[in-house]
């Protein structure tokens, strides 16, 4: 493979400008409507988490705790919050949901530019590099990730990780190792531990099997190992934040069966080649996902896997014409590996990796690895485009006949109704509701035919152009870039979901009712809500799209964490750092409704009308959303979020859980406390005193207590070892109380108690990360110093 001269600044700036323009053009629908990305995790995780981060940092504080999910979780410990990603600083520039839009849009030109730079370093012309760049950045996988910013930001960094690794192959220098460490660290900072692990393994694979250009293999491997070591140092603050709480969470209890949810069915290779064949519009998407492809959930993790038949053909050109080259062999091998892992439970490889590599077990959803498949296919397509452009006219004509024949064949299959017959043939795989199958088969057949007509036409047109003897390399490259861009955008642009910005910023319907009932300006620290909505009506609301209605329904139900900006704390679980103790309470739904929800300070439930009637809870309804059939209920058993109780000592979590579920336990009066030594007991039936919360923020609270008797102060925050308490300025032991909550023993008298969640070891981990960043930047700083002296 030929080498190219260094990239000039003018070329990089020109390409970056073109890619920014392409991004704005691609997302014109979002920008013209003033909408905001709102699908799934964007509404439920990313927008609340980034909002909380920005609010804390603007007050020169750091968010250590998020109270808005499953009775509270460590903020940075829930890696998906991306607490340490540098792009969070954009939130300080832009207000509200527009902050999230900016963070998303930045990812696409950055991902495309990284792919472009990598391909140019590998010896391709600008046009061929642009083919790979556009194919990766605007392919189905990355456009689908507009529903999850952490994984999109990790995907954005992937090409740059390979650029840094290529520098290791070329120079085996400390500067190249530092670049690997910095870029790989951002994958974890984005909130993607699996991407971090896979990225590190990819670095090693490239260092071990990539082509050498002067430096011996041993030196290259040492530099790559140094890069991985630096990445561990750089990301130490996030690694420690996650690892320090892992043993207290439900993640360690994940099984292989739960890990392989959202495995990619082999049939979705049709999606990769022809279009979004199986991701039908609702309500048929769920029967396809569950009944036909066996995702075990009612949706796809990535709605589109589209790469496109033209891109796949170009990747095939690279495989056929350059298979002797080490880089092509490596790209093909990694593509095959990631495809097999992407299939999850449909092949034995994922289960083998799960069993042999224990650190892999916390990871889940094999379909996430589709991003790596898309990246390497885009790289191969860029190399194939280079081979095609570099050929003389006779050589191109041979490729033209193959491509034209492929396009004509696909066209004929589409025109003769093969798509409909293939869809009908899939009936043997279908296990959903039988009455839905005819419509499912019809729509899948139509999409197969439409995809065949589109991709067949593009391939045939390109094949005919290649036959033209006088077509020069530069115009040919321009044609390839244009056809690939149009083909990819045609399929993937409709994939992203946006909602009306005013809808997202409007206060949810039930929030004001909750405020009036608790009698406070804010709901933070006052009460919690638990949603148990089983079915929801889908009304046709004037002016609202289907995606708008979905977002409005989530806001109405107050699912976590959509109400965070209004102080709504949810008892439901969505973020990954669910306390194992809280998980035990949520798992026992019978006791949850009878007792545990009250102990957790859950003052409200949202249920659908059918559930309310089924449970006979009509008398507790305090508000209703008629369009969605959702009702807000007040919980008469809810305890205050902070109160005094008489301690009953227990030996451990199991005994505590058994006690609070027993009939002789008196909620609100007694507390099951895990204490090594007996605690002072109040007199029977005596007045224990009063409690007043004087200050509350997401990381803790300040409480004034007038204890008439010795007692334990109970706070219904999820217990983690990072919780601290001071009593009248002196440190006090925080005791696990009522199985999942906090308690501190108090003598009689007036006291001030301050609760704070302080992640253990975070200061030291931050210092280690700072050291790692310094070591990565050191060679660049020394080089800058030498240049200035010269």
């Amino acid at each position: 493979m030929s080498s190219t001269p260094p990239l000039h600044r003018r070329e990089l700036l020109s390409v970056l400008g073109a890619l920014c323009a392409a991004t704005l053009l691609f997302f014109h629908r979002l920008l013209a409507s003033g909408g905001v990305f709102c699908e799934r995790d964007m509404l439920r995780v990313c927008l609340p988490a980034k909002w909380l981060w920005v609010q804390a940092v603007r007050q020169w504080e750091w968010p250590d705790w998020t109270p808005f999910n499953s009775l509270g979780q460590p903020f940075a410990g829930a890696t998906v919050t991306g607490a340490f990603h540098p792009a969070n600083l954009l939130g300080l520039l832009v207000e509200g949901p527009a902050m999230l839009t900016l963070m998303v849009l930045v990812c696409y030109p950055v991902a495309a530019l990284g792919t472009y730079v990598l391909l140019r370093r590998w010896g391709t012309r600008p046009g061929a590099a642009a083919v790979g760049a556009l194919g990766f950045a605007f392919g189905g996988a990355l456009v689908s990730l507009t529903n999850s910013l952490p994984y999109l930001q990790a995907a954005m960094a992937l090409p740059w990780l390979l650029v840094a690794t290529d520098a290791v192959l070329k120079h085996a220098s400390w500067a190249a190792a530092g670049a690997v460490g910095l870029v790989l660290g951002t994958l974890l900072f984005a909130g993607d531990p699996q991407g971090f692990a896979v990225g590190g393994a990819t670095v090693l694979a490239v260092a071990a099997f990539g082509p050498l250009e002067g430096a011996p293999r041993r030196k290259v491997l040492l530099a790559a190992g140094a890069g991985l070591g630096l990445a561990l140092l750089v990301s130490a603050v996030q690694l420690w934040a996650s690892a320090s709480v892992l043993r207290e969470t439900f993640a360690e209890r994940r099984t292989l069966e739960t890990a392989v949810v959202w495995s990619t069915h082999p049939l979705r290779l049709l999606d990769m080649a022809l279009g979004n064949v199986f991701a039908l519009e609702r309500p048929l998407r769920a029967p396809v996902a569950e009944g036909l492809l066996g995702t075990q959930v009612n949706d796809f993790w990535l709605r589109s896997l589209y790469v496109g038949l033209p891109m796949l053909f170009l990747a095939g050109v690279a495989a056929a014409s350059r298979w002797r080259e080490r880089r092509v062999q490596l790209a093909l091998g990694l593509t095959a590996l990631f495809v097999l892992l992407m299939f999850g439970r449909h092949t034995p490889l994922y289960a083998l990796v799960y069993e042999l590599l224990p650190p892999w077990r916390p990871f889940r959803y094999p379909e996430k690895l589709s991003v790596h498949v898309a990246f390497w296919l885009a790289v191969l397509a860029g190399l194939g485009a280079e081979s095609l452009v570099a050929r003389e006219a006779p050589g191109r004509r041979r490729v033209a006949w193959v491509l034209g024949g492929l396009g004509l064949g696909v066209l004929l299959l589409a025109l003769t109704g093969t798509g409909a017959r293939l869809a009908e043939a899939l009936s043997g795989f279908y296990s959903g509701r039988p009455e839905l199958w005819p419509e499912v088969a019809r729509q899948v057949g139509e999409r197969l035919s439409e995809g065949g007509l589109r991709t067949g036409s593009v391939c045939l047109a390109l094949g005919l152009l290649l036959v033209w003897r006088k077509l020069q390399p530069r115009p040919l490259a321009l044609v390839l870039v244009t056809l690939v861009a149009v083909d990819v955008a045609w399929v993937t642009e409709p994939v992203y979901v946006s909602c009306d910005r005013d809808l997202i910023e409007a206060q949810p319907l039930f929030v004001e009712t909750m405020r009036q009932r608790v009698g406070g300006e804010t709901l933070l620290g006052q009460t919690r809500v638990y949603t148990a909505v089983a079915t929801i009506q889908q009304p046709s609301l004037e002016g609202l799209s289907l995606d708008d209605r979905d977002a409005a329904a989530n806001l109405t139900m107050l699912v976590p964490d959509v109400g965070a900006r209004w102080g709504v704390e949810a008892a439901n679980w969505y973020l990954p750092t669910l306390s194992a103790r809280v998980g035990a309470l949520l798992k026992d739904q019978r006791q949850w409704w009878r007792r545990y929800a009250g102990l957790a300070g859950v003052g409200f439930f949202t249920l659908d009308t059918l559930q309310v009637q089924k449970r006979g809870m009509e008398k507790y309804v305090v508000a209703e959303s008629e369009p969605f059939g959702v009702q807000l209920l007040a919980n008469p058993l809810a305890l205050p979020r902070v109160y005094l109780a008489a301690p009953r000592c227990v030996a451990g979590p199991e005994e505590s859980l058994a006690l609070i579920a027993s009939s002789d336990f008196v909620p609100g009066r007694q507390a099951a406390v895990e204490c090594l030594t007996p605690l002072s007991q109040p007199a029977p039936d005596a007045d224990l005193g009063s409690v007043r919360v004087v200050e509350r923020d997401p990381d803790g609270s300040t409480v004034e207590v007038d204890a008439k008797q010795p007692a334990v102060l109970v706070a219904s925050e999820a217990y983690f070892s990072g919780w601290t308490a001071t009593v009248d300025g002196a440190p006090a032991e925080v005791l696990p109380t009522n199985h999942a909550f906090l308690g501190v023993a108090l003598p009689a008298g007036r006291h001030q108690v301050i609760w704070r969640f302080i992640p253990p070891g975070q200061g030291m981990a931050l210092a280690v990360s700072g050291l790692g960043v310094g070591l990565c930047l050191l060679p660049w700083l020394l080089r800058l110093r030498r240049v200035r002296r010269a």
Side-chain angles (χ1 to χ4, degrees), residues 1 115-116 118-120 122-136 307 310-319 321-322 325 328 331 374-390 477 480-481 484:
M1 184 176 295
T115 311
Y116 179 90
L118 178 66
L119 285 166
R120 292 285 282 130
W122 284 10
T124 67
R125 291 170 171 82
V131 167
L134 293 174
F136 176 59
V307 174
M311 288 283 289
L312 291 173
F313 180 82
L314 290 173
V317 170
S321 63
R322 312 176 77 147
E325 297 177 9
V328 173
F375 170 71
W376 286 108
L377 286 173
V379 169
L380 285 167
L383 296 174
E386 172 64 23
S387 295
L388 200 56
V389 171
L480 285 175
V481 170
V484 165

Side-chain angles (χ1 to χ4, degrees), residues 53 123 201 223 276 318 325 355 421 449 477 486 529 553 618 661 674 711 728:
W53 188 94
N276 306 320
E325 297 177 9
E355 291 299 328
R421 290 194 294 274
S449 298
V486 170
V529 65
E618 292 88 346
E674 296 173 33
D728 301 326

Side-chain angles (χ1 to χ4, degrees), residues 147-507:
N147 68 12
S148 187
L149 180 62
Y151 303 105
L152 178 60
Q153 289 178 330
M156 167 189 73
L158 181 59
W160 292 101
L161 179 63
L162 270 298
V163 170
T165 308
D166 186 64
V168 169
L169 283 174
K170 283 182 167 63
H171 309 296
S173 64
W174 184 261
V180 168
L182 285 174
V183 178
L184 185 56
T186 65
L187 269 75
L188 187 62
F189 287 156
D192 185 7
Q194 187 179 50
F196 177 76
V198 172
T202 301
V203 170
L204 285 179
V206 174
F209 302 108
L212 299 176
E213 298 186 19
R217 182 72 65 186
R218 178 174 175 273
K219 189 175 180 181
V220 167
L221 287 172
L222 285 174
L228 297 184
L230 288 170
L232 292 175
L233 290 178
V234 168
S235 55
V237 66
Q238 181 62 75
L239 287 170
W240 180 254
S242 302
S244 63
V245 300
L246 184 62
R247 61 185 176 82
E248 299 181 78
T249 69
F250 236 61
E252 284 196 328
R253 295 152 179 80
R254 186 172 294 130
T255 64
L256 175 61
E257 186 61 28
T258 59
V260 295
V261 171
W262 268 316
S263 295
T264 303
H265 196 284
L267 282 172
R268 291 203 74 194
L269 293 178
L270 291 170
D271 279 359
M272 193 173 286
L274 298 179
N276 306 320
V277 174
F278 295 105
L280 303 182
E281 297 302 320
R282 292 173 299 234
L284 293 181
R285 191 184 304 160
V288 174
E290 290 181 290
L292 182 60
L293 303 181
T295 61
Q296 298 179 311
V297 284
N298 61 4
D299 204 346
F300 301 97
W301 196 80
L302 291 176
R303 191 183 297 183
S304 175
L305 300 180
Y306 188 67
V307 174
L309 200 56
M311 288 283 289
L312 291 173
F313 180 82
L314 290 173
V317 170
S321 63
R322 312 176 77 147
W323 63 271
R324 293 180 183 275
E325 297 177 9
R326 188 68 71 90
R327 286 193 180 100
V328 173
Q329 294 172 355
L330 186 64
L332 288 169
L334 289 171
T335 301
L337 174 64
F338 289 130
V339 166
L340 292 175
L341 287 172
M342 174 183 80
F343 286 158
R345 67 171 178 277
H346 301 294
T347 67
L349 181 60
Y350 197 96
L352 183 64
V353 172
Y354 183 90
E355 291 299 328
L356 296 180
L357 297 176
W360 187 267
R361 293 176 188 173
F363 302 148
R364 53 181 179 165
Y365 308 157
E367 197 160 293
K368 291 178 182 178
L369 296 168
S370 305
V371 171
H372 296 267
V373 175
F375 170 71
W376 286 108
L377 286 173
V379 169
L380 285 167
L383 296 174
E386 172 64 23
S387 295
L388 200 56
V389 171
R391 290 189 180 197
E392 297 297 328
R396 289 207 302 264
R397 283 200 298 273
R398 286 193 293 270
V399 176
W401 288 115
V402 176
L403 181 56
L406 174 64
L408 184 60
V410 172
L411 269 175
L412 290 174
L413 289 174
L415 291 171
T416 55
T418 302
R421 290 194 294 274
L422 178 59
E424 286 293 344
L426 297 177
S427 60
F429 295 96
Y430 184 72
S431 59
R433 291 166 55 188
E435 67 274 14
L436 296 178
W437 172 249
E439 183 61 19
V440 168
R442 184 187 70 79
Q443 292 196 24
V444 169
E446 286 181 354
R447 291 194 175 202
L448 282 168
S449 298
E450 291 171 1
L453 288 171
R454 182 189 62 256
T455 56
S457 299
V458 172
C459 290
L460 182 59
L462 183 56
L464 292 174
L465 281 169
L466 290 174
V467 174
W468 189 16
R469 290 174 179 264
K470 296 183 179 181
L471 189 62
Q472 297 300 311
R474 185 169 292 180
L476 174 57
L478 181 61
V479 168
L480 285 175
V481 170
T482 303
L483 284 177
V484 165
V486 170
D487 177 67
V488 170
W490 192 352
V491 177
T492 61
E493 194 281 333
V495 168
Y496 72 85
V497 172
S498 67
C499 298
D500 183 87
R501 179 175 175 174
D502 292 337
L503 172 69
I504 301 301
E505 292 185 318
Q507 178 178 286

Side-chain angles (χ1 to χ4, degrees), residues 493-548:
E493 194 281 333
V495 168
Y496 72 85
V497 172
S498 67
C499 298
D500 183 87
R501 179 175 175 174
D502 292 337
L503 172 69
I504 301 301
E505 292 185 318
Q507 178 178 286
L509 178 64
F510 294 144
V511 168
E512 190 56 37
T513 301
M514 295 168 66
R515 281 181 180 154
Q516 291 174 359
R517 293 189 67 88
V518 301
E521 288 295 321
T522 178
L523 293 172
L524 183 66
Q526 299 288 327
T527 187
R528 289 192 173 101
V529 65
Y530 180 80
T531 181
V533 176
T535 58
I536 191 166
Q537 299 174 12
Q538 288 288 354
S540 296
L541 299 176
E542 185 178 353
L544 293 185
S545 67
L546 182 59
D547 296 320
D548 285 334

